Amino acid sequence: MKNCAVVGINWGDEGKGRMVDLLTEDYDIVVRYQGGGNAGHTVINEKGKFALHLLPSGILRDGVINVLGNGVALDPENLWTEMEQVTSRGVAVTPENLKISDRASLLLPWHRRLDELEEMRLADKKYGSTKQGIAPFYSDKAQKKTLLAGELFYPEEFREHLLELMEWKNLTLTRIYGEKPYTETMLDEWMDAYCEKIKPFICDTGMYLREASEQGKKILFEAQLGSLRDLDYGICPYTTSSNAIAAYAPIGSGFPGARLDRVLGIVKAYSTCVGEGPFVSEMFGEAAERLREAGAEYGAKTGRPRRVGALDLVATAYGIEVQAATEIAVTKLDVLSNMEKIPVCTAYLVNGKKTSRFPFPAALKDAEPVMEYLDGWMCDISGIRKWEQLPKEAQNYVTYLEKSVGCPVTYISVGPERDCIILKDKEK
């Protein structure tokens, strides 16, 4: 198989970066096609532990070319800072292994500030933003009120365009939020400090990907967040502001003619959620705290404690459907090893009616979980590398998930390190 998209099936934080890092052994190119610095892909391998936000997870694999596509919210400041962090730890980041689309729009200095101000205004009705400027960025992009990365090669036009946008955005900052305006000096410093430094990495990535495909190169498309955070198919309004589904990968990568041969959906062995919004299978109290600590469930970007819950088969089946997943990777199965009985949400009760279909977002506030409890295995499985060596109870748990959602499980992660993986389907 040639091209593959790695996507989140639930609320995000499923372990996409961990799986991309593993799969890059068999791929030539990794492309991030949407989202921005609000991502938090944690990767652990022989080079150490990394929390990547804008850089594709393939940057940690020697010989792999990494691309930031036109669908990405390109934050020059966050990107350059992250590049410096990983290079300081011995990871090569050069124009040869990182390419930035000249059609990617720039996340501008005021976007993060506007994100913060709007969350403050919303107060107890906030959406749970990571405050990385994502919503203001995509809003401005839709209004054609941002700049393309390629405009950096036309410095006079770039600066003129940027100052026009500053004048427009200062009206919002000063008259709506009562904030101080941005100045030309501030923007000149921003351009010198960050934009000029990423300029050597900017190129026509669309042409690069087309030519690479013609040469038989294999492309891995890396998504951010998960199905339930997708702008169109998620739990509106508690979503991100871009499309996190696999169908957007060809568009957001800059290669609209790309064909996806595989869609690998990542499902955590239990549910987690960062931010606000409905979370039907959520656990509370001591049981939740034990699960959170066992799984180290804290946001890679924000450090916020993640909400935790039982594996939600209703939400998972829906996520697989909208992602058109051809196979599943189950991550963090080892975290459940100390649970004698493992809760699973098999259906919802919505206003007294039982359903296994994920409801319209507005109905989720009235949804209650229908729970079943599967036998746990009560032993350490982190050293196991073969399916047949897993305890029968662990096999039953995975098989129950697989049959319930109608999609084959091909990978099982039993630890964060690259080699802590079980191949369930030996043909993969």
Side-chain angles (χ1 to χ4, degrees):
M1 289 188 175
K2 192 176 180 183
N3 298 333
C4 175
V6 176
V7 294
I9 294 301
N10 300 118
W11 292 265
D13 303 305
E14 300 95 345
K16 294 179 291 297
R18 183 256 186 277
M19 290 305 302
V20 170
D21 177 66
L22 174 73
L23 295 177
T24 47
E25 182 178 13
D26 299 318
Y27 285 84
D28 304 295
I29 302 166
V30 176
V31 186
R32 268 285 304 278
Y33 62 86
Q34 50 81 221
N38 55 329
H41 291 180
T42 301
V43 175
I44 300 176
N45 54 35
E46 74 281 356
K47 295 181 179 180
K49 181 177 180 180
F50 297 84
L52 302 176
H53 305 292
L54 264 169
L55 288 172
S57 299
I59 200 71
L60 301 174
R61 177 81 74 166
D62 295 338
V64 171
I65 309 302
N66 298 268
V67 174
L68 290 172
N70 56 276
V72 168
L74 184 63
D75 183 339
E77 180 177 349
N78 273 354
L79 177 59
W80 182 252
T81 300
E82 188 173 340
M83 289 165 66
E84 287 189 312
Q85 289 171 347
V86 299
T87 54
S88 71
R89 298 177 60 188
V91 177
V93 183
T94 71
E96 283 66 50
N97 72 341
L98 176 65
K99 300 180 185 298
I100 300 171
S101 172
D102 56 2
R103 289 185 173 271
S105 294
L106 298 183
L107 190 145
L108 301 172
W110 44 77
H111 286 137
R112 281 195 301 278
R113 185 57 184 149
L114 286 167
D115 206 352
E116 295 170 355
L117 292 167
E118 182 60 12
E119 283 287 278
M120 290 169 57
R121 188 193 69 81
L122 289 169
D124 59 348
K125 296 181 180 180
K126 63 184 183 297
Y127 297 155
S129 170
T130 58
K131 301 176 184 177
Q132 295 301 306
I134 303 302
F137 162 82
Y138 279 110
S139 175
D140 283 359
K141 181 179 178 181
Q143 295 185 76
K144 303 174 289 294
K145 296 288 190 179
T146 186
L147 297 96
L148 299 180
E151 291 184 64
L152 285 167
F153 295 106
Y154 304 89
E156 291 184 9
E157 292 86 347
F158 179 90
R159 191 172 187 278
E160 181 181 355
H161 191 181
L162 182 60
L163 293 178
E164 288 175 0
L165 293 177
M166 180 193 74
E167 182 180 359
W168 169 72
K169 192 57 69 174
N170 278 343
L171 294 174
T172 301
L173 287 163
T174 58
R175 299 187 183 184
I176 295 179
Y177 293 108
E179 286 287 298
K180 293 180 180 180
Y182 281 82
T183 66
E184 291 188 32
T185 299
M186 294 166 69
L187 295 184
D188 286 339
E189 290 174 353
W190 173 77
M191 286 188 289
D192 290 340
Y194 306 110
C195 295
E196 288 301 317
K197 290 176 180 174
I198 68 167
K199 191 173 175 181
F201 298 83
I202 298 169
C203 63
D204 185 347
T205 58
M207 182 176 68
Y208 169 75
L209 291 172
R210 288 191 297 273
E211 291 178 350
S213 181
E214 290 170 0
Q215 295 166 10
K217 302 291 187 181
K218 293 187 290 185
I219 304 172
L220 192 65
F221 299 90
E222 181 180 13
Q224 175 223 35
L225 295 172
S227 306
L228 301 180
R229 299 299 191 190
D230 182 84
L231 178 61
D232 288 305
Y233 298 100
I235 49 174
C236 185
Y238 304 100
T239 69
T240 190
S241 299
S242 62
N243 290 109
I245 60 172
Y248 188 70
I251 298 170
S253 68
F255 185 16
R259 173 185 172 184
L260 297 180
D261 302 293
R262 300 171 67 186
V263 177
L264 177 63
I266 315 302
V267 178
K268 196 177 287 185
Y270 51 95
S271 296
T272 61
C273 174
V274 170
E276 308 297 322
F279 184 24
V280 177
S281 71
E282 187 168 8
M283 295 164 57
F284 300 93
E286 186 179 342
E289 191 57 35
R290 284 199 304 268
L291 182 56
R292 183 178 297 110
E293 289 301 317
E297 295 298 347
Y298 298 89
K301 182 65 181 181
T302 64
R304 290 183 295 186
R306 294 184 183 128
R307 300 157 68 189
V308 298
L311 176 65
D312 188 331
L313 296 177
V314 180
T316 298
Y318 174 75
I320 288 169
E321 180 181 309
V322 299
Q323 294 286 13
T326 58
E327 56 189 287
I328 302 170
V330 176
T331 60
K332 289 198 169 184
L333 186 65
D334 56 302
V335 172
L336 303 179
S337 293
N338 292 322
M339 297 180 71
E340 188 173 351
K341 290 289 184 179
I342 304 175
V344 178
C345 176
T346 60
Y348 293 170
L349 279 177
V350 182
N351 297 320
K353 294 182 179 181
K354 186 176 179 179
T355 180
S356 58
R357 289 288 300 171
F358 194 74
F360 186 77
L364 286 169
K365 64 181 176 58
D366 299 315
E368 300 176 11
V370 176
M371 307 296 291
E372 291 189 17
Y373 293 84
L374 304 184
D375 291 335
W377 43 94
M378 297 298 290
C379 64
D380 182 15
I381 62 172
S382 61
I384 293 175
R385 298 293 179 268
K386 294 184 179 180
W387 167 254
E388 58 270 19
Q389 294 175 352
L390 278 174
K392 190 64 177 176
E393 295 83 359
Q395 292 183 11
N396 290 342
Y397 187 79
V398 174
T399 302
Y400 187 86
L401 162 62
E402 187 176 54
K403 290 181 177 178
S404 297
V405 299
C407 192
V409 172
T410 53
Y411 299 92
I412 302 165
S413 167
V414 292
E417 292 80 13
R418 184 183 280 170
D419 68 336
C420 294
I421 202 78
I422 295 170
L423 302 182
K424 184 172 179 289
D425 185 341
K426 292 190 172 96
E427 294 180 0
K428 293 292 178 186

